């Protein structure tokens, strides 16, 4: 497996990448203008449209982009930029395969006249039907119980049939709301949990696939991709974060290019 990280601007660098070369992107782009990222940030509609267009070009048929994003609140109103981005991705050819929720189990408390902001969107954008699908499972609390009754047999006639009793399975597929505790660090202002990266990489790719993060930050996606035997490409513009990411990924993948 190989890991390549690039110090540069993701729009410019994606132009140099081969078309349809990426199996999975897991990334968290800037949220409106909530952070300046060492003064490097220029983030507006003209920029994020180019990023999404670049991702569409480099994504393989059957590939997936996990776009983790939230919205700023400006003059009492959320911007809705996240929805605009998802709809634009659909407009240029992506499928909006799923709208998932990243539930923050320990959100940073803020003082305002609304409920605490405890989630972000995880838009699952696919180029056609996802070719990799390895669903995460969880224990059923009622496993082993015998369920009796009736169940719908025909959706057109709404007829039902009797169920004599089947045991509840031990595992069930997880819902699309995933909860994680946050670890606040000085390394990066918006570092998402390693388990979140792991769950998406396992779900939407297979060993040997190529995973990409155009907003590498402190390198979480790259570190986990290396641990899970995926090839990885990452791009980071800020030298401070690039150096942190390089060390984190090297700890797992010494053959870092």
């Amino acid at each position: 497996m190989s890991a390549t990280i690039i110090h540069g601007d993701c729009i410019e660098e994606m132009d140099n990448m081969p078309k349809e070369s990426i199996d999975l992107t897991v990334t968290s782009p800037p949220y409106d203008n909530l952070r300046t990222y060492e003064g490097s940030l220029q983030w507006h509609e003209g920029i994020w449209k180019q990023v999404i267009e670049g991702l569409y070009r480099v994504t393989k048929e059957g590939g997936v982009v996990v776009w983790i994003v939230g919205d700023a609140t400006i003059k009492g109103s959320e911007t809705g930029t996240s929805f605009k981005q998802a709809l634009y991705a659909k407009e240029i050819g992506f499928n909006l395969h799923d709208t998932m929720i990243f539930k923050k189990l320990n959100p940073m408390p803020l003082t305002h006249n609304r409920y605490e902001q405890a989630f972000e969107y995880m838009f699952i954008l696919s180029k056609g039907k996802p070719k990799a699908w390895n669903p995460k499972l969880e224990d059923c609390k009622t496993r082993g119980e015998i369920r009796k009754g009736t169940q719908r047999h025909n959706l057109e006639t709404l007829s039902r049939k009797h169920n004599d009793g089947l045991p509840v399975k031990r595992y069930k597929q997880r819902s699309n709301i995933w909860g994680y505790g946050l670890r606040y660090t000085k390394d990066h202002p918006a570092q998402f949990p390693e388990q979140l990266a792991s769950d998406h990489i396992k779900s939407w790719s297979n060993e040997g696939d190529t995973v990409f993060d155009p907003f590498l930050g402190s390198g979480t996606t790259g570190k986990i991709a290396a641990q899970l035997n995926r090839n990885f490409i990452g791009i980071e513009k800020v030298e401070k974060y690039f150096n942190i990411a390089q060390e984190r990924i090297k700890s797992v993948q010494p053959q870092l290019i």
Side-chain angles (χ1 to χ4, degrees):
M1 297 297 101
S2 66
T4 302
I5 64 172
I6 302 165
H7 184 205
D9 181 90
C10 69
I11 294 174
E12 296 174 1
E13 298 298 338
M14 277 194 287
D15 284 343
N16 298 323
M17 292 170 59
K19 184 179 179 182
E20 298 188 346
S21 56
I22 301 298
D23 297 287
L24 170 66
T25 297
V26 179
T27 195
S28 184
Y31 301 0
D32 293 305
N33 290 313
L34 288 179
R35 300 178 180 91
T36 63
Y37 295 98
E38 306 293 310
S40 72
L41 179 64
Q42 288 187 355
W43 188 249
H44 51 75
E45 185 170 330
I47 298 293
W48 58 251
K49 281 187 173 180
Q50 291 182 69
V51 173
I52 294 172
E53 290 164 4
L55 288 173
Y56 187 80
R57 190 185 72 82
V58 301
T59 300
K60 294 179 181 178
E61 189 67 27
V64 165
V65 173
V66 180
W67 185 264
I68 304 167
V69 70
D71 293 311
T73 299
I74 299 174
K75 295 181 179 179
S77 176
E78 293 187 351
T79 62
T81 302
S82 57
F83 296 107
K84 295 175 185 177
Q85 293 167 351
L87 292 173
Y88 185 69
K90 283 188 65 178
E91 185 180 322
I92 66 169
F94 277 115
N95 291 336
L96 182 52
H97 184 71
D98 197 1
T99 300
M100 299 183 65
I101 296 295
F102 163 25
K103 180 181 178 181
K104 301 176 184 180
L105 301 182
N106 57 334
M108 186 175 291
L110 300 172
T111 303
H112 42 50
N113 62 343
R114 57 178 60 83
Y115 296 108
E116 293 299 344
Q117 301 298 296
F119 77 93
E120 294 173 11
Y121 297 104
M122 301 188 292
F123 293 114
I124 310 302
L125 309 170
S126 66
K127 197 170 183 178
K129 181 180 179 181
K131 62 178 177 150
W133 170 230
N134 309 302
K136 303 294 294 180
L137 303 177
E138 61 185 9
D139 284 334
C140 291
K141 294 180 180 179
T142 57
R143 61 184 179 272
E145 291 184 6
I146 303 299
R147 294 287 179 87
K148 296 183 179 181
T150 61
Q151 64 187 58
R152 186 161 293 168
H153 178 59
N154 188 304
L155 292 177
E156 293 184 0
T157 65
L158 302 182
S159 63
R160 306 181 74 86
K161 66 177 181 179
H162 182 72
N163 180 357
D164 290 328
L166 295 172
V168 175
K169 295 180 179 179
R170 180 176 180 180
Y171 299 107
K172 65 178 180 178
Q173 191 170 300
R174 282 175 68 175
S175 76
N176 61 358
I177 299 175
W178 292 0
Y180 303 93
L182 297 176
R183 178 173 163 263
Y184 298 100
T185 73
K186 295 180 180 179
D187 290 346
H188 193 274
Q191 183 174 316
F192 55 68
E194 291 186 1
Q195 190 60 50
L196 181 153
S198 176
D199 287 346
H200 278 301
I201 291 170
K202 289 178 179 178
S203 294
W204 309 109
S205 71
N206 298 313
E207 289 192 8
D209 283 350
T210 298
V211 176
F212 178 48
D213 188 348
F215 300 100
L216 181 58
S218 60
T220 300
T221 301
K223 176 184 174 181
I224 303 304
Q227 288 179 342
L228 297 175
N229 297 316
R230 272 70 166 173
N231 298 300
F232 178 73
I233 300 172
I235 303 171
E236 176 52 48
K237 188 175 183 179
V238 180
E239 185 174 7
K240 172 185 173 181
Y241 303 144
F242 174 85
N243 292 334
I244 293 170
Q246 191 172 46
E247 292 306 311
R248 291 183 74 200
I249 298 170
K250 271 186 176 179
S251 70
V252 181
Q253 178 59 273
Q255 296 82 19
L256 177 66
I257 299 174

